[in-house]
Amino acid sequence: MAIFKLTVNGKEQQVDVDADTPLLWVLRDSLGLTGTKYACGIAQCGACTVHLNDVAVRSCMLPVSAVKAPVTTIEGLSENGDHPVQLAWDEVDVPQCGYCQAGQIMTAAALLKKKPHPSAEEIANTMHGNICRCGAYHRIREAVTLASTKM
Amino acid sequence: MLTINNSSRRKFIKLSSLSAGGLMLSFKWSGAGAKTPEVFKPGAIEGDVVFNNYLNIATDGTITIFSPNPELGQNIKTSFPMVVAEELEADWKKVKVVQAALDNKFDRQVTGGSGAVPHSWMLLRKAGATAKYMLIAAGARRWGVPAAECHAADAFVVHKASGKKLGYGELAEEASKMPVPENVTLKDRKDFKIIGTAVRNVENKNITTGKPLFGLDFQREGMLIATIQRPPAFGTKIKSADIAAAKAMPGIVNVVQFKNNVAVVGKSTWQVLKAKKALKITYEKDGSVESTADHEQLFTTLMDSGKATVRRKDGNVDAAFKNAAKIIKAEYECPFIAHNPMEPMNFFAHVKEDSVELAGPSQTPAGARAAVSKLLNIPENKISLELTRLGGGFGRRLKFDYVTEAAEVSSLVKAPVKVIWTREDDMMGGSYRPAVRYRFEAALDASGTMIGYKLRGVGINAGNSTREDNFPSGAVDNLLIDSVEYESPITTGPWRAPITNFLAYAEQAFIDEVAHAAGKDPVQYRLDMLQKARTNPAGAIKYDIARMEGVIKLAAEKAGWGKKPGVHQGFSVYFSHRSYVAQVCEVAVEKGLPVVKKVFAASDCGQVINLTGAQQQVMGGIVDGFGHAMYSKLSFKDGASEQNNFGAYRLVRMKEIPEIEAYFVDNGIDPTGLGEPALPPTGGAVANAIFKATGKRLYKQPFIEQDVFKKA
């Protein structure tokens, strides 16, 4: 166990965990930020997606000792849940079970931060890494497209 | 107008004022109209016979509707309250929806079999309508006018003649003391303002902001985390377990062995996952240790073994095949697949001296409670169960093995515990969609009419792998449907649209092949068979011919069936769980390979409750049916699954999905369910379109492994 200093959603945090603890479990177990989801643990599904310096990363295989940049989770994406991507998700009524959606939203938000008006192909390529077992892919695509018009 | 006589249930209705003011109605939810498949058997305990539901109206006008059924993405938490609110004439903006915990006062607190809405439709309507009548009565008494001169609108009681109006909140207290009406008149569907419209998911804000909704997010003071090492192969058991190294690892509170499991219990998820890897367990054979190669051999042997159970027999099949001008025969096979809800299995349990607290995701909370009661010998009325949102279910959470595990571990370590499964645990842990092989045979006369039909299913832990009374039964004079069951240690369970999730593909692909052999248009061939079933039925007909024709015609019309030169179309139609769905799939050939471009779907699920939710169920069902037919399989080597996570096990992703157009038949009948029925037809429509595009039939799933998808 060792002390690690992190900046999460703009707030400095200290956690006392094993160095190999994935950021996912630090967020969920140590910091109580359960919006970031566990689903595969091998960076294959995207449910655990967070931002490191505004870039989408899979937190389930990222050891806390390797986290050197500010972390943003779904809880910190916007002050009032009104990021254009979050609003588009409601407007298009994307969620079915909802479990993968935090990861989908974080993936989409990072894409639009880097490229506010991506092509349909760029959206599909980026979102292809996130699994939605309910199969809400059409609406995910539509919501990212809608959000891109409001960036 | 529909008038419901309440007198028979009047004695069950009781009223009481909330201490904080407001109206609380307690309903006896008995005498449900729709017959639904039984997915669990409630224990024979006091209280399980009587069920109730609650609707609260606070003095500030807030209307709280409790949603009793588990929410796993079928959108029940939005659609149930919509039905109550419609009859109540509530202002939807003032409706607050609360997930109810497991409670004997509710009826059929289950998510499964596409049964929740059909089962509860009339009960929910009566709940809203009865409260509305009492509010109107209270308003009328306040104003000294006849109730017949008043009506309700947007959560107000209105006396039109005088222009007076009062909000529900202002009247709630008085209304709660009004006599319960003998009869309530339900709304005419042409007056629906909420039902049939698109109402967004009530949890959207919580989901998009990452609020703790799911079982895996559940927390309790002092709660420990447990991970369990189960036998890695079916048909094996623990020979010896050395737990010392795991127990000595940081953060580990206890390591306990129970049955064939070793539970590692500790303070954090990562610590228990690491310690689990330090367990030294050896296993030994405990039954049949099977591989996929063995099953392939079994299918072949059992198909001709003659040990089949006859499921349906009409006419004289032998004679029909003897006299046939043409015989078509084909076999279809599917692999095991895992449910893979995105949220892995988990449950919280706190077993105390004489009571138990449970919380988590379950499709059958009452069944889970009964199992825990039996396991621990603690009466059910001492066990509470809080329902979290389910991160998907697909049938996996109809089983409650993970609930009893949590209770057992908590009882052993005497602490509140949340058991969590990893993805590997989930994918290797059984309860799969069974692997099945079907053999279809059709006898045609000289005109191409089907005069004989044989279907044999051989399933591994599939039970009856046929649905003997579905189409084409009734449409063929001479018919024999039977099945052969094989018992394996590899556990199986209901998987979204059980049996029909594969049978529908096989049957609809076979009908297509038969139509082709008969030189008939596949859509017309089905319509001709239905006409035969109508005018000259063979045996009992247990599907609705008109409803099936309705979706066939709508799908064909919307897709422009047969009117798009150069577009390769495949057709499929299926009846499951009381509803009817027809689909047309369009396939293009790109760079020498078939690409599934589009699916048109026509669904008859009766009255659509929530248009946006219904579209989600159809689109999601098609993506699910398409994805698993195309890509997914679990194979076994020496009793262990060869795929254990999303690396080796392929699920459909965004760039692979076809476009979808979803249409609904509006025939005014009561809702018949939609969580599953859109899935079964998809595989057949896809396979039939691929045949049109390539001339090659697909007889085995996953399609992606078949020759037609391999580059020359």
Side-chain angles (χ1 to χ4, degrees):
Chain A
M1 306 267 277
I3 303 285
F4 294 90
K5 288 185 180 174
L6 299 169
T7 303
V8 181
N9 299 332
K11 209 167 138 190
E12 296 205 1
Q13 302 275 10
Q14 277 195 20
V15 293
D16 185 8
V17 295
D18 290 346
D20 61 354
T21 308
L23 176 61
L24 169 67
W25 297 114
V26 170
L27 294 171
R28 291 185 58 86
D29 284 0
S30 307
L31 301 177
L33 294 169
T34 54
T36 306
K37 299 303 186 211
Y38 165 78
C40 76
I42 57 164
Q44 288 290 318
C45 75
C48 67
T49 304
V50 298
H51 296 173
L52 270 194
N53 257 349
D54 296 332
V55 176
V57 297
R58 307 287 196 242
S59 66
C60 71
M61 287 191 86
L62 180 69
V64 65
S65 54
V67 177
K68 307 292 183 199
V71 179
T72 306
T73 70
I74 186 72
E75 292 92 341
L77 182 63
S78 63
E79 192 80 18
N80 303 306
D82 53 1
H83 185 283
V85 174
Q86 289 169 311
L87 295 179
W89 242 249
D90 177 47
E91 195 173 332
V92 176
D93 198 30
V94 174
Q96 289 188 37
C97 88
Y99 192 80
C100 74
Q101 299 301 350
Q104 304 272 4
I105 288 168
M106 295 307 281
T107 303
L111 168 69
L112 298 184
K113 177 94 181 178
K114 196 176 83 184
K115 187 148 196 195
H117 307 291
S119 67
E121 196 184 355
E122 285 166 326
I123 291 172
N125 282 337
T126 304
M127 302 310 296
H128 194 71
N130 286 63
I131 293 174
C132 172
R133 178 65 183 82
C134 299
Y137 295 122
H138 297 87
R139 289 193 180 179
I140 290 168
R141 194 174 60 190
E142 189 185 337
V144 181
T145 308
L146 175 67
S148 77
T149 66
K150 302 191 174 162
M151 292 302 287
Chain B
M1 295 281 260
L2 189 55
T3 299
I4 300 300
N5 190 322
N6 256 347
S7 58
S8 63
R9 44 187 273 295
R10 189 166 186 223
K11 59 180 177 288
F12 300 115
I13 298 178
K14 57 180 189 230
L15 292 164
S16 57
S17 290
L18 292 170
S19 53
L23 171 68
M24 182 172 77
L25 286 173
S26 168
F27 289 95
K28 154 90 176 150
W29 296 77
S30 64
K35 202 174 170 203
T36 54
E38 197 174 54
V39 292
F40 80 104
K41 289 181 179 29
I45 53 142
E46 193 190 347
D48 257 13
V49 182
V50 183
F51 301 96
N52 296 274
N53 195 12
Y54 293 102
L55 160 69
N56 294 359
I57 300 173
T59 46
D60 71 354
T62 304
I63 296 164
T64 302
I65 300 175
F66 292 90
S67 184
N69 287 45
E71 170 64 85
L72 50 63
Q74 84 283 40
N75 216 6
I76 203 82
K77 198 173 172 182
T78 306
S79 46
F80 262 25
M82 284 173 71
V83 179
V84 179
E86 177 72 67
E87 292 288 350
L88 183 63
E89 297 292 358
D91 176 355
W92 181 252
K93 290 189 287 296
K94 288 183 183 166
V95 169
K96 199 174 92 186
V97 181
V98 174
Q99 174 72 58
L102 175 64
D103 198 317
N104 291 345
K105 69 191 174 211
F106 295 116
D107 179 18
R108 196 188 183 273
Q109 214 171 350
V110 167
T111 289
S114 300
V117 167
H119 180 83
S120 298
W121 165 246
M122 290 306 264
L123 308 171
L124 295 164
R125 294 181 71 188
K126 283 184 216 168
T130 305
K132 178 181 75 179
Y133 272 68
M134 292 163 76
L135 287 155
I136 289 173
R141 193 171 69 175
R142 179 100 60 104
W143 298 320
V145 300
E149 288 178 13
C150 303
H151 70 280
D154 297 326
F156 282 91
V157 175
V158 183
H159 183 240
K160 207 173 172 184
S162 64
K164 286 175 183 157
K165 63 191 271 189
L166 281 167
Y168 282 2
E170 296 165 87
L171 289 169
E173 191 88 54
E174 284 164 74
S176 73
K177 297 176 182 106
M178 285 288 145
V180 178
E182 287 280 338
N183 299 297
V184 290
T185 304
L186 300 179
K187 290 176 76 171
D188 193 306
R189 63 190 294 272
K190 72 173 166 46
D191 299 322
F192 286 166
K193 296 187 188 106
I194 300 173
I195 292 171
T197 65
V199 173
R200 290 177 210 170
N201 192 322
V202 293
E203 292 286 28
N204 275 354
K205 180 85 175 179
N206 289 330
I207 290 168
T208 59
T209 54
K211 295 288 183 297
L213 298 170
F214 301 93
L216 211 63
D217 307 337
F218 185 87
Q219 299 286 343
R220 266 287 184 281
E221 188 68 30
M223 181 183 86
L224 299 173
I225 304 289
T227 182
I228 294 172
Q229 180 65 57
R230 301 169 194 83
F234 295 96
T236 63
K237 64 178 180 185
I238 293 178
K239 187 179 180 191
S240 67
D242 176 358
I243 61 170
K247 209 168 177 173
M249 289 188 50
I252 301 307
V253 174
N254 210 336
V255 179
V256 290
Q257 187 176 337
F258 65 102
K259 302 187 176 84
N260 258 324
N261 307 311
V262 178
V264 180
V265 187
K267 289 176 180 162
S268 77
T269 310
W270 186 243
Q271 287 173 319
V272 299
L273 291 178
K274 271 170 78 173
K276 184 175 161 187
K277 288 183 182 154
L279 291 170
K280 296 184 188 76
I281 308 174
T282 57
Y283 293 89
E284 62 188 350
K285 202 167 173 287
D286 181 37
S288 171
V289 176
E290 300 174 2
S291 300
T292 296
D294 304 327
H295 294 150
E296 292 289 334
Q297 188 56 51
L298 268 168
F299 281 144
T300 304
T301 312
L302 294 175
M303 190 61 82
D304 294 314
S305 70
K307 287 186 216 159
T309 306
V310 173
R311 302 293 176 180
R312 178 164 170 148
K313 197 166 187 279
D314 295 322
N316 185 338
V317 172
D318 289 342
F321 276 80
K322 207 175 146 194
N323 299 328
K326 202 176 219 176
I327 290 173
I328 322 292
K329 184 172 163 180
E331 292 192 4
Y332 297 82
E333 188 180 318
C334 71
F336 292 97
I337 50 175
H339 296 79
N340 277 321
M342 289 305 278
E343 179 195 23
M345 299 309 109
N346 66 85
F347 227 81
F348 168 83
H350 188 188
V351 178
K352 300 165 210 171
E353 205 156 296
D354 62 351
S355 68
V356 183
E357 188 193 352
L358 300 170
S362 172
Q363 292 180 244
T364 49
R369 178 182 59 188
V372 169
S373 168
K374 197 176 163 198
L375 174 80
L376 302 173
N377 197 26
I378 292 175
E380 289 197 25
N381 60 13
K382 297 285 183 192
I383 302 173
S384 68
L385 193 153
E386 187 181 329
L387 274 171
T388 61
R389 190 176 182 86
L390 285 65
F394 310 101
R396 177 62 183 87
R397 287 186 242 263
L398 289 167
K399 288 203 170 176
F400 32 76
D401 48 339
Y402 57 98
V403 186
T404 49
E405 278 181 353
E408 190 148 16
V409 174
S410 172
S411 141
L412 288 169
V413 303
K414 301 193 182 336
V417 168
K418 183 163 64 180
V419 164
I420 59 159
W421 290 42
T422 62
R423 177 59 52 196
E424 289 81 2
D425 294 337
D426 196 41
M427 222 178 277
M428 298 170 78
S431 191
Y432 310 117
R433 187 275 299 273
V436 181
R437 187 186 286 182
Y438 292 111
R439 175 186 288 166
F440 291 85
E441 294 166 84
L444 308 187
D445 67 12
S447 71
T449 300
M450 201 190 291
I451 53 169
Y453 181 87
K454 283 196 273 188
L455 164 62
R456 172 166 294 174
V458 181
I460 298 168
N461 292 343
N464 175 10
S465 55
T466 73
R467 289 294 177 264
E468 62 274 10
D469 292 324
N470 276 9
F471 180 84
S473 293
V476 188
D477 285 335
N478 308 292
L479 173 140
L480 174 64
I481 295 175
D482 58 22
S483 63
V484 183
E485 282 85 64
Y486 174 77
E487 282 183 28
S488 163
I490 299 171
T491 59
T492 61
W495 193 103
R496 193 180 191 179
I499 300 298
T500 62
N501 61 52
F502 176 68
L503 173 61
Y505 144 72
E507 174 200 297
Q508 288 295 305
F510 183 68
I511 299 277
D512 195 80
E513 188 166 347
V514 170
H516 195 257
K520 303 274 175 68
D521 173 79
V523 171
Q524 192 56 49
Y525 198 72
R526 288 170 174 86
L527 290 172
D528 290 346
M529 288 178 79
L530 287 169
Q531 186 57 25
K532 144 80 185 161
R534 175 184 282 123
T535 54
N536 187 17
I541 297 196
K542 298 192 178 171
Y543 50 90
D544 188 314
I545 294 169
R547 291 181 74 191
M548 192 173 267
E549 285 172 337
V551 294
I552 290 174
K553 288 174 180 169
L554 183 63
E557 177 207 321
K558 293 296 180 186
W561 175 259
K563 290 176 186 161
K564 292 180 178 171
V567 177
H568 309 293
Q569 293 179 318
F571 195 86
S572 179
V573 61
Y574 210 74
F575 158 62
S576 64
H577 302 281
R578 308 167 219 85
S579 291
Y580 299 78
V581 181
Q583 293 172 14
V584 174
C585 174
E586 295 183 350
V587 163
V589 178
E590 293 174 359
K591 295 175 189 162
L593 296 176
V595 180
V596 178
K597 303 298 270 187
K598 189 159 187 173
V599 176
F600 295 85
S603 305
D604 177 354
C605 58
Q607 172 72 51
V608 168
I609 310 286
N610 184 357
L611 193 55
T612 171
Q615 283 168 339
Q616 278 176 322
Q617 289 311 301
V618 171
M619 295 171 77
I622 290 170
V623 170
D624 198 356
F626 166 74
H628 283 90
M630 278 294 291
Y631 302 116
S632 306
K633 75 159 184 185
L634 269 183
S635 56
F636 288 83
K637 181 83 182 126
D638 301 329
S641 69
E642 293 183 295
Q643 301 78 18
N644 63 21
N645 208 322
F646 298 144
Y649 188 95
R650 189 165 170 191
L651 286 171
V652 65
R653 291 172 185 264
M654 183 174 282
K655 286 202 288 181
E656 295 146 352
I657 55 167
E659 298 307 308
I660 295 170
E661 286 185 27
Y663 299 91
F664 296 91
V665 173
D666 182 14
N667 54 12
I669 66 171
D670 288 350
T672 54
L674 196 59
E676 293 160 290
L679 187 152
T682 305
V686 169
N688 297 338
I690 288 172
F691 168 74
K692 283 289 264 300
T694 66
K696 302 231 168 65
R697 293 281 174 194
L698 289 164
Y699 295 110
K700 205 168 175 181
Q701 292 183 355
F703 296 158
I704 197 72
E705 293 185 357
Q706 311 311 310
D707 288 345
V708 73
F709 282 101
K710 288 173 188 155
K711 289 208 175 187

